[in-house]
Amino acid sequence: MEKGTLGNAGIAVSKLCFGTGTDGWAGKSDQTALGLDGLADLLAYAYDRGVSFWDTADQYGSHPHIARACNIVGRENVTIVSKTTSRDYEGVKSDIDRFLVELETDVIDIVLMHCLTSDDWPQECRGAMDALSEAREAGKIRAHGVSCHDYGAFEEAARSDWVEVVLARINYGGHHMDSTPENVIRVLERMDEAGIGVFGMKVVGAGKLGHDARNAIHYVLDLPAIDSITIGMTSRQQVDENVGWVEEHTGVLA
């Protein structure tokens, strides 16, 4: 599978990212329901198909599953992004140290502030941002950024010199997004100009575009600002289908 890089952060990612947070919150998700070995084996299967970018979060409860899969394929061969819901310095500092233990790694490639819902987050989350910056300087993480669930918060991310990576909700139907596709794309373009790495989520509209998944995937991959897309998968069939559509788009199968 074709690989790219996340903006100026320069972190290598496969065009398809394995999401482990479908209906994920409160320490569980559809993926963790597969069990420790079940999800680890599916992640390893996806890796064999070229999916070397894996998305996790504290709220998904999938850190141990990611760690188990890394023991199979080799930690050095995958890019891991996780997320914290803490909003203060001590909380984020503690989270990162705990994440490193749970993921059984010395460094996490990307850590995002999870699910920002207010445009004043640069002021309200200054302590959290400082903790992430210190973790980057200490070599505990390689890049930091945000995941937004609010248009104002999303616009602020495009204006921030601190943001290196953004997880953005984008699909052609406007489902479960921060604004209309047109508005979101305008902000994505500003992020791209600023060198911010962006990977897209809700690409198939949380299932609402599942009947047209191929075109939904191609729509998002057509956007120049998008470096990768994350899709939650729970079976080998889903992995094969999504890998096929991504590779078709990038010309691997052409």
Side-chain angles (χ1 to χ4, degrees):
M1 179 179 292
E2 179 182 335
K3 285 191 176 182
T5 57
L6 283 172
N8 291 344
I11 296 174
V13 292
S14 54
K15 284 291 185 178
L16 178 61
C17 174
F18 194 121
T20 64
T22 304
D23 290 326
W25 207 250
K28 59 184 179 179
S29 70
D30 289 356
Q31 282 71 38
T32 62
L34 298 173
L36 191 60
D37 289 329
L39 179 51
D41 289 345
L42 188 59
L43 284 160
Y45 177 79
Y47 171 80
D48 288 339
R49 295 299 314 273
V51 183
S52 57
F53 185 22
W54 297 349
D55 174 76
T56 182
D58 194 24
Q59 287 292 324
Y60 306 161
S62 54
H63 286 166
H65 308 71
I66 295 283
R68 179 69 63 90
C70 284
N71 289 334
I72 299 172
V73 307
R75 170 66 184 93
E76 69 279 6
N77 295 318
V78 294
T79 299
I80 297 173
V81 54
S82 190
K83 313 176 197 77
T84 172
T85 55
S86 293
R87 299 292 188 254
D88 59 76
Y89 177 87
E90 291 299 334
V92 170
K93 184 175 184 293
S94 176
D95 280 353
I96 290 172
D97 288 340
R98 175 169 55 83
F99 292 1
L100 290 168
V101 173
E102 292 174 352
L103 289 164
E104 299 177 15
T105 187
D106 295 327
V107 58
I108 305 169
D109 298 290
I110 307 155
V111 175
L112 309 178
M113 289 195 292
H114 199 176
C115 195
L116 296 179
T117 57
S118 173
D119 61 5
D120 65 355
W121 66 262
Q123 294 76 42
E124 294 296 321
C125 302
R126 176 51 57 185
M129 295 163 67
D130 289 344
L132 285 162
S133 295
E134 288 182 11
R136 187 180 185 278
E137 292 168 5
K140 294 181 178 181
I141 69 174
R142 296 175 60 201
H144 47 60
V146 298
S147 165
C148 298
H149 286 242
D150 171 83
Y151 187 62
F154 188 57
E155 288 187 301
E156 282 298 320
R159 289 189 280 263
S160 172
D161 293 335
W162 177 85
V163 173
E164 297 173 297
V165 177
V166 170
L167 176 56
R169 301 195 290 182
I170 176 68
N171 61 76
Y172 74 71
H175 303 293
H176 299 277
M177 286 175 52
D178 300 322
S179 185
T180 64
E182 294 76 17
N183 286 341
V184 168
I185 288 171
R186 279 194 288 270
V187 178
L188 290 175
E189 290 171 347
R190 297 204 298 270
M191 290 177 174
D192 192 36
E193 292 172 0
I196 296 171
V198 182
F199 64 114
M201 62 172 164
K202 299 294 188 285
V203 173
V204 292
K208 292 186 181 296
L209 303 176
H211 64 284
D212 192 32
R214 174 185 177 275
N215 289 327
I217 287 170
H218 287 193
Y219 170 86
V220 177
L221 289 176
D222 276 338
L223 301 173
I226 295 293
D227 301 310
S228 179
I229 58 171
T230 182
I231 298 178
M233 297 172 279
T234 55
S235 70
R236 292 191 175 196
Q237 179 182 349
Q238 290 177 358
V239 171
D240 291 341
E241 288 176 348
N242 290 318
V243 166
W245 289 322
V246 170
E247 288 184 339
E248 178 184 62
H249 179 272
T250 56
V252 174
L253 297 182

